[in-house]
Amino acid sequence: MPSDHDVVRCGLCGARIRWTVTASGAAQSVNADPDPSGNTAVFTDGTGRVRSRGISKERPTLEHAEWLARPHIADCARPLGAPTRQTHPRTGVRRQPRRPR
């Protein structure tokens, strides 16, 4: 059973999630608790980063310390009318286009 030190709340629905890094370097949220019906293998690498990979035909079983989880996007119960992406206020200086010399 994974520890809860990396569990956060979804900004849209408030569910417990973990942010993982996929093999391609993308961020993916998964439900915090293991789910035997999940299709994503989750593990913590040697540096403490939570990683994930999809269960595929080439690697159909769990390896080493992996556990099954479901991607949170499949279960997110965001309120009706809420945006699909969490929006953040913009801060800082907007870059201006270069002017020809």
Side-chain angles (χ1 to χ4, degrees):
M1 183 78 175
S3 70
D4 282 349
H5 80 277
D6 54 356
V7 174
V8 295
R9 295 279 177 181
C10 173
L12 298 174
C13 70
R16 293 169 21 101
I17 62 170
R18 296 175 199 272
W19 283 102
T20 68
V21 178
T22 64
S24 65
Q28 179 182 19
S29 61
V30 297
N31 293 336
D33 299 318
D35 185 349
S37 67
N39 61 353
T40 303
V42 180
F43 63 99
T44 303
D45 67 8
T47 63
R49 179 179 287 170
V50 182
R51 308 288 303 228
S52 63
R53 68 172 180 88
I55 299 295
S56 64
K57 188 184 286 187
E58 293 82 25
R59 295 171 68 189
T61 60
L62 296 177
E63 302 168 356
H64 308 294
E66 292 179 333
W67 50 276
L68 278 176
R70 280 179 58 91
H72 180 62
I73 192 71
D75 297 330
C76 187
R78 66 185 175 86
L80 289 175
T84 55
R85 289 188 60 127
Q86 191 173 6
T87 56
H88 299 286
R90 293 180 183 229
T91 60
V93 178
R94 184 175 296 187
R95 292 186 61 180
Q96 297 295 319
R98 284 190 106 160
R99 295 182 184 162
R101 292 184 184 207

